[in-house]
Structures are given as C-alpha cells and as structure tokens.
Amino acid sequence: MKYTQLGRTGLKVSRLVLGTMNFGPQTDEAGSHAIMDAALDAGINYFDTANVYGWGENKGRTEEIIGNWFAKGGERRDKVVLATKVYGNMAADGDAWPNHDKLSALNIRRAVDASLKRLRTDYIDVYQFHHIDRRTPFEEIWQAVDVLVQQGKILYVGSSNFPGYKIAQANEIAARRGGTIGLVSEQCLYNLAERRAEMEVIPAAQEYGLGVIPWSPLQGGLLGGVIKKEVEGGRRASGRAADSLANTTIRAQVQSYEDLLDKHGIEPGEAALAWLLTRPGVTGPIVGPRTAAQLDSALRAVELELSDELLTGLDEIFPGPGPSPEAFAW
C-alpha cells in the first residue's frame, strides 16, 4: 500500500479509503469483518463511514458493525484512521424531532456521543459534515468543534458534498477565529464520467490544503465494465449505471472506454481508480466492496501505472471541463 498526507495535516493515510456503506444493508456483519481484516492486512488504514449508514430503521447499524470489529482487539482501532459523518436525522423514520439533524452545536454534540458509543471508541480521527447546513453559521459550528477537540473526542474535521465557496467560507471563518485548523478534507462525487468537481471544488480544496476523497469512483458501476458484463455474463446494469446507459450518447462513451482498456489489457474498474490516483489534489478514492474479490480488484489499482497514451485516450473519451475560471468565463 502507498500512503500520503491527508491534505495539509501530518496525518498519513492510505491511497485507498475503505468505504463501509454496504456493511449491514448489503454485507452481513461476519462478511464486513472479513473485509475490514483483509483491508487492514493489505495496508488500508483509512476507514470511512457515516452515522446514517444502515439506512431506514437500521440507521447507525454500520457504525455498530465497525465498533464490534474494533472490540475484537488486535490493535484494530490503533491501526485505523477512522472517519464518520454528521448531518442526517437519526430519529426513526416518521419520528423526526427538531434539532435531531444538521449542524447545530446541539446536534453535533449529540451526534458525536452517539457515534462514539456505536463505534465503541473514545475518539474519532476525522469528523465530517455530510452536507452543508444553510441555517447554521460556521461560527457556531467551529465553536462546537473546538469543544470536542478539547475534550479529545475528535481530532480533525472534514466536509462532504460542499461547493467550493463553502469550503472557502468555512476555512476563512476558522482562520479569523484562531485556534481552529478548519476543514482538512473534502469528500466529493468525482470520477472519469463526472468531472464537474474540477471546476470549483478541487481548486478550492487545493487552495485551502484539503485532501480530496472522491466517492463513487466507478460512477455507480458505470465505469466497472458494465457493458462487457452484460454481453458476457448477462448481468444487467442497475441503478445510476442503468439510467446512464439508457442515454445512447453515454452508452457510446462507455463502449469506447471499455474498448480502449481492452486494447491495453486493463480492467475498467481498476483503470478508473488508477486514473483518480493521478489527479492533482486527490488523497484517495473511497472503495466500497461488498465482497473480498471486489477489494482485491481495488487493491490492484494502487500498483497500476497508466501510460501517457492511455491517459490521453481517457481524456478524449471523458473530457474534463478545463481550468477554472477559463472553462466558463471565455
């Protein structure tokens, strides 16, 4: 495994991030524990989750699965850089109550304590805001964060799904307050087929020293060889990938992508991850394996070297927006 610093911090993290969203809904506890063991054995030390994972009536279940894994011992907790998120309402569906969601100081305090209990740990390495809160000022958010850092409950703070201007606003207010390091990472939707983050989000993250953690690196399976799987194995695309392939222009793009990688003898999913590892500002993509075999495929991407010829070909198939602000200014 290769490692890098998380943004401008001294924290060393693996270039692949283990996403746990499938733990519970798609993969049972025993299977989830086996994947985490395999990831740790392979050198992945950055694990990402969220308080709402498990979804519906099972919100919080994913954190519980991770907590039970930590409780097995073997220095599991000490070896892991643990990231979780706050924003969504954790009350039972249909039973939402004021102040049980978003980023008020009250909910942040409540949510941290609840996550710590489910995760069976006394601190969270990277506590992330899952979405912007349009009603809560950053002065209040940073005051709540300062208290939690002083209490030793969290070490760093990151964002997820923030626009560029909110990254700037958050860190400028943190700098004015003093004593707060501000955001150190941003999780955003970013992959070969979805490059809008290059317009504002990634430039803002680089300017303010945030590590970029792309989620959905395979665009919901679209970049994982979906057409080849249809032809050879009869596996029909589903979800976002199926919706995208219904567009004939996108389907032709994906076919060109798969043809190019077939020419180079590279698996599409591994190429999509390896491409992200070449991008400026990217710390590491989140991989969310449902099985050990999917984790093995992701691990191969770390060692994969993409030639200049291949990178040029990928850019031709999935062109980015261009530099900001020129891409939209003239």
Side-chain angles (χ1 to χ4, degrees), residues 153-233:
K153 293 180 179 180
I154 65 175
L155 302 182
Y156 303 94
V157 176
S159 58
S160 182
N161 306 307
F162 271 35
Y165 83 96
K166 279 294 182 181
I167 291 172
Q169 184 184 51
N171 275 15
E172 289 295 336
I173 291 173
R176 288 202 298 270
R177 292 186 74 253
T180 299
I181 191 173
L183 300 174
V184 302
S185 63
E186 160 61 18
Q187 279 190 27
C188 58
L189 176 60
Y190 184 40
N191 55 60
L192 264 169
E194 175 50 85
R195 297 177 61 171
R196 285 178 292 178
E198 294 175 2
M199 295 285 282
E200 294 286 352
V201 175
I202 293 174
Q206 289 183 280
E207 184 73 21
Y208 286 94
L210 279 67
V212 175
I213 313 292
W215 61 265
S216 194
L218 304 187
Q219 188 65 355
L222 188 70
L223 301 173
V226 63
I227 296 177
K228 182 179 180 180
K229 291 173 183 175
E230 279 186 353
V231 173
E232 295 183 353

Side-chain angles (χ1 to χ4, degrees), residues 2 11 14 30 94 103 131 179 242 247-248 254 300 323-324:
K2 298 176 182 178
L11 190 64
S14 50
L103 302 179
H131 195 275
N247 182 310
T248 56
V254 174
R300 288 193 291 272
S324 175

Side-chain angles (χ1 to χ4, degrees), residues 25-323:
Q26 300 290 331
T27 307
D28 65 15
E29 181 159 337
S32 301
H33 286 190
I35 289 172
M36 287 187 281
D37 281 334
L40 203 60
D41 286 344
I44 296 177
N45 75 336
Y46 197 3
F47 288 18
D48 176 78
T49 191
N51 59 354
V52 294
Y53 289 173
W55 310 110
E57 295 179 355
N58 295 311
K59 285 182 285 192
R61 177 59 183 146
T62 302
E63 286 188 331
E64 289 175 351
I65 289 172
I66 297 170
N68 292 340
W69 181 74
F70 285 147
K72 289 182 174 182
E75 299 184 327
R76 284 174 170 84
R77 179 64 188 95
D78 289 341
K79 292 178 178 177
V80 167
V81 174
L82 175 64
T84 191
K85 307 183 193 75
V86 58
Y87 181 84
N89 199 303
M90 292 297 291
D93 288 350
D95 191 29
W97 195 251
N99 301 312
H100 276 192
D101 63 359
K102 300 189 172 64
L103 302 179
S104 70
L106 175 58
N107 188 56
I108 288 175
R109 176 179 177 177
R110 175 189 291 119
V112 165
D113 287 341
S115 284
L116 290 172
K117 183 177 180 180
R118 287 188 293 267
L119 290 163
R120 300 175 72 168
T121 185
D122 55 5
Y123 71 100
I124 295 163
D125 296 285
V126 186
Y127 200 52
Q128 301 161 119
F129 308 135
H130 213 161
H131 195 275
I132 61 170
D133 184 347
R134 295 179 173 88
R135 295 295 183 88
T136 305
F138 277 111
E139 288 83 356
E140 177 180 344
I141 293 170
W142 289 129
Q143 184 180 47
V145 165
D146 287 346
V147 171
L148 294 173
V149 170
Q150 290 163 8
Q151 292 175 336
K153 293 180 179 180
I154 65 175
L155 302 182
Y156 303 94
V157 176
S159 58
S160 182
N161 306 307
F162 271 35
Y165 83 96
K166 279 294 182 181
I167 291 172
Q169 184 184 51
N171 275 15
E172 289 295 336
I173 291 173
R176 288 202 298 270
R177 292 186 74 253
T180 299
I181 191 173
L183 300 174
V184 302
S185 63
E186 160 61 18
Q187 279 190 27
C188 58
L189 176 60
Y190 184 40
N191 55 60
L192 264 169
E194 175 50 85
R195 297 177 61 171
R196 285 178 292 178
E198 294 175 2
M199 295 285 282
E200 294 286 352
V201 175
I202 293 174
Q206 289 183 280
E207 184 73 21
Y208 286 94
L210 279 67
V212 175
I213 313 292
W215 61 265
S216 194
L218 304 187
Q219 188 65 355
L222 188 70
L223 301 173
V226 63
I227 296 177
K228 182 179 180 180
K229 291 173 183 175
E230 279 186 353
V231 173
E232 295 183 353
R235 290 175 54 186
R236 302 290 297 177
S238 60
R240 277 190 296 152
D243 293 342
S244 297
L245 288 180
N247 182 310
T248 56
T249 300
I250 294 177
R251 188 179 186 91
Q253 250 185 331
V254 174
Q255 185 66 69
S256 296
Y257 165 72
E258 293 187 14
D259 290 345
L260 174 66
L261 295 173
D262 186 58
K263 173 185 172 184
H264 286 265
I266 298 175
E267 289 297 318
E270 294 169 20
L273 292 173
W275 178 83
L276 280 169
L277 292 172
T278 71
R279 305 308 299 164
V282 169
T283 300
I286 297 175
V287 296
R290 296 189 299 274
T291 65
Q294 290 177 342
L295 176 62
D296 288 341
S297 177
L299 289 168
R300 288 193 291 272
V302 179
E303 297 298 327
L304 186 58
E305 296 288 339
L306 303 182
S307 67
D308 290 342
E309 177 191 356
L310 179 52
L311 289 170
T312 298
L314 292 172
D315 270 334
E316 289 172 353
I317 295 169
F318 296 110

